[in-house]
Amino acid sequence: MNPWFASNFNFPLSGSVNQDLSPEYFFNAIKKENGNGDIEKAIFNSGASYGRQIGIISDVLYEIITQIQLPNSTEVQKFKQLQENINKIKDLKHNGLEQHAESILDKLKESDPKTLNKLLKKYQSQAAK
């Protein structure tokens, strides 16, 4: 055996990396002077994620900007463009999801029409509510 190849040398950042990225870790890491992790966690778990909160605020701000017709400053133009880009991405994702659902329903139609009819009835009655 060649001793030159038997070393336990590790290059920087080449060792194992073990990091907790769970939501529990995130909420427990909030310092008391910066907020309350338990409250943040409860808000997040109730469906009000940071992205959802920012999205609602952005939608309201966009409506206000368009209704009161602010002067078209660079910042307003950037904000409007940002909102338009976000809406395009949402539309693409929504259309992709719709196409995916359609594809699955087509496969179910071919393989199990009875189950397809059962599902359609179920969702039609829910949509009517």
Side-chain angles (χ1 to χ4, degrees), residues 37-112:
D38 291 335
I39 292 173
E40 293 293 334
K41 181 180 173 187
I43 292 168
F44 181 86
N45 287 335
S46 74
S49 68
Y50 298 127
R52 181 162 292 169
Q53 292 175 48
I54 292 170
I56 291 169
I57 292 167
S58 295
D59 290 345
V60 169
L61 184 56
Y62 186 80
E63 287 296 317
I64 291 170
I65 287 172
T66 55
Q67 286 181 11
I68 64 172
Q69 299 176 353
L70 288 175
N72 233 356
S73 69
T74 304
E75 290 77 17
V76 170
Q77 288 175 0
K78 285 180 184 177
F79 181 77
K80 285 181 176 180
Q81 186 62 53
L82 179 69
Q83 284 303 108
E84 289 169 13
N85 290 344
I86 289 169
N87 289 334
K88 284 179 188 175
I89 292 169
K90 286 180 178 181
D91 288 345
L92 286 172
K93 290 290 184 183
H94 174 73
N95 290 340
L97 184 60
E98 183 178 340
Q99 290 171 354
H100 183 64
E102 212 171 303
S103 170
I104 291 172
L105 290 172
D106 286 342
K107 289 177 186 175
L108 191 57
K109 179 182 175 183
E110 291 175 16
S111 65
D112 192 353

